[in-house]
Amino acid sequence: MHERNTPGVGTVLTRYNLAFLPEAHCYLTYEDKRIDITRSGVEPAETISQFLHEETIDPEQIGDYKVRLHRKFMLDWVNDNADAVKGLSLVDVWRIREECIAALTQ
């Protein structure tokens, strides 16, 4: 996520000198089209165009399973992208992610 595809997170990312953070995002696929109903009332400047990991889940997996998968992905991403995370730990990056999510509600 970055400001152009997730309006509202730019200020938080800038505060930590980050260009973006990977985010677990759910959408519905219908007739080969992605339908994103999580951003009611907010039109991003661009759609999410790059998926680092994509998998189909069942509705009951939206909670604990999705969080575990996302934390594991973020741990691997932090470990593999030292330049992008500028020395931040998984705990730091997850906290920044939470700040980004909170910023979306303001």
Side-chain angles (χ1 to χ4, degrees):
M1 69 180 152
H2 50 70
E3 183 64 26
R4 291 176 314 282
N5 67 17
T6 312
V9 302
T11 303
V12 176
L13 295 174
T14 299
R15 184 178 320 130
Y16 296 100
N17 197 28
L18 295 169
F20 69 94
L21 282 179
E23 176 55 26
H25 191 73
C26 291
Y27 58 85
L28 175 68
T29 301
Y30 179 73
E31 294 184 353
D32 296 325
K33 293 182 182 169
R34 287 186 184 113
I35 302 167
D36 185 352
I37 58 172
T38 62
R39 296 190 182 129
S40 178
V42 177
E43 268 313 304
E46 65 184 59
T47 60
I48 299 170
S49 60
Q50 181 182 16
F51 292 88
L52 303 174
H53 173 82
E54 193 170 12
E55 79 178 69
T56 301
I57 64 171
D58 294 323
E60 61 271 3
Q61 292 177 296
I62 198 77
D64 292 338
Y65 174 80
K66 181 183 148 214
V67 172
R68 281 192 313 272
L69 179 68
H70 188 37
R71 285 187 72 89
K72 167 72 170 95
F73 182 89
M74 289 288 275
L75 176 61
D76 293 343
W77 182 79
V78 165
N79 290 334
D80 294 342
N81 293 278
D83 290 341
V85 298
K86 302 167 186 4
L88 297 169
S89 70
L90 172 63
V91 171
D92 297 327
V93 170
W94 196 263
R95 180 182 43 77
I96 294 166
R97 174 204 173 267
E98 292 296 317
E99 284 184 45
C100 287
I101 301 303
L104 296 175
T105 64
Q106 297 176 359

